[in-house]
């Protein structure tokens, strides 16, 4: 994913605290859960807190790197894997989960998942912008030829509903919708007046919203 889109995603992530959740443990490169460390001063064993999601009774599992890529492309209806998307997956693979335990989730994993999701969403936008509104799965009547100021709340909400049902397997909650609507408002407010009328601003709003939803915890767990 190129630097312009990465900047967009770094802007959207702080606004998506309800939708996207990070964890503190290391991912693919972390210590084995449940291991013990020796205190350098006393030589006593320090018992690490339990992080195995199954042992803790948490009814969720994290998608592995391979499963994440397969799931993202499937739920986003991406059947043509572009060179850019393939390269993005290769570049992000090492920071994605090496297994299914939730203890592997951390900040770098979430950022890598978001960047990968952004490239998947690039493919979605490329496809849907070439389609008639009635043939689109996610972006309905959004006019990508006009600036972001023309994106109505109804159009934005309809896109959120379509992505939530496909990416999360459910409707968005009121809190999630409110967070996404707040992001839309912040996104538009942050743009200079002349930029709001440019078609790229509409593309970037929908791209960043799509990427945030496709990389949220509900989208990369099962």
């Amino acid at each position: 994913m190129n630097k312009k889109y990465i900047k967009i995603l770094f802007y959207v992530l702080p606004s998506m605290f309800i939708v996207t959740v990070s964890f503190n443990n290391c991912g693919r490169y972390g210590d084995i859960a449940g291991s013990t460390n020796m205190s350098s001063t006393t030589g006593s064993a320090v018992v690490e807190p339990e992080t195995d999601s199954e042992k803790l009774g948490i009814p969720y599992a994290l998608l592995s790197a391979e499963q994440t890529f397969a799931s993202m492309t499937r739920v986003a209806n991406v059947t043509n894997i572009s060179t850019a998307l393939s390269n993005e997956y290769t570049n992000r693979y090492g920071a994605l989960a090496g297994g299914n335990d939730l203890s592997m989730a951390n900040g770098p994993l979430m950022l890598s998942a978001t960047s990968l999701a952004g490239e998947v969403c690039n493919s979605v936008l490329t496809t849907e912008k070439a389609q008639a509104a009635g043939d689109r799965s996610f972006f309905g009547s959004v006019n990508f030829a006009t600036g972001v100021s023309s994106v109505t709340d109804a159009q934005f909400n309809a896109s959120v509903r379509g992505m939530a049902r496909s990416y999360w397997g459910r409707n968005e909650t009121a809190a999630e919708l409110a967070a996404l609507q707040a992001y839309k408002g912040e996104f538009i407010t942050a743009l200079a007046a002349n930029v709001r009328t440019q078609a790229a601003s509409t593309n970037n709003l929908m791209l960043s919203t799509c990427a945030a939803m496709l990389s949220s915890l509900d989208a990369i767990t099962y």
Side-chain angles (χ1 to χ4, degrees):
M1 193 173 187
N2 66 38
K3 292 182 179 179
K4 179 179 73 173
Y5 293 130
I6 290 175
K7 288 180 181 178
I8 293 170
L9 294 173
F10 273 109
Y11 175 80
V12 67
L13 280 173
S15 301
M16 301 304 299
F17 63 94
I18 292 178
V19 181
T20 304
V21 180
S22 349
F23 290 77
N24 296 319
N25 298 309
C26 290
R28 188 179 293 273
Y29 306 111
D31 294 334
I32 297 175
S35 64
T36 59
N37 294 328
M38 299 298 292
S39 169
S40 59
T41 56
T42 66
S44 60
V46 178
V47 180
E48 298 290 346
E50 180 60 67
T51 57
D52 185 279
S53 56
E54 184 175 353
K55 290 180 180 178
L56 290 171
I58 301 173
Y60 296 100
L62 187 66
L63 295 177
S64 68
E66 297 83 359
Q67 291 171 328
T68 295
F69 185 58
S71 176
M72 283 185 176
T73 53
R74 183 176 65 254
V75 300
N77 301 327
V78 174
T79 56
N80 180 30
I81 307 301
S82 67
T83 299
L85 179 51
S86 179
N87 289 342
E88 185 69 21
Y89 173 59
T90 298
N91 291 337
R92 302 297 171 183
Y93 180 83
L96 297 173
N100 300 115
D101 200 283
L102 281 176
S103 66
M104 293 181 179
N106 61 3
L109 180 145
M110 297 304 295
L111 287 172
S112 293
T114 302
S115 188
L116 177 61
E119 202 58 64
V120 173
C121 290
N122 257 333
S123 295
V124 175
L125 283 163
T126 297
T127 297
E128 296 212 356
K129 285 162 68 175
Q131 295 175 327
D135 296 330
R136 296 174 180 172
S137 298
F138 306 113
F139 302 115
S141 58
V142 173
N143 188 347
F144 287 97
T146 60
V148 70
S149 297
S150 69
V151 179
T152 67
D153 287 343
Q155 290 171 333
F156 184 78
N157 293 352
S159 292
V160 167
R161 172 60 56 86
M163 288 187 285
R165 286 181 172 179
S166 188
Y167 301 170
W168 302 341
R170 60 174 175 80
N171 290 344
E172 72 289 350
T173 66
E176 289 163 344
L177 180 59
L180 288 161
Q181 289 172 331
Y183 166 66
K184 174 177 178 279
E186 292 168 7
F187 182 96
I188 295 173
T189 300
L191 298 177
N194 65 310
V195 177
R196 295 176 195 173
T197 64
Q198 297 174 9
S201 63
T202 296
N203 183 88
N204 291 342
L205 171 64
M206 304 316 297
L207 169 64
S208 53
T209 302
C210 174
M213 294 182 68
L214 186 57
S215 62
S216 67
L217 197 60
D218 270 14
I220 61 173
T221 57
Y222 66 95

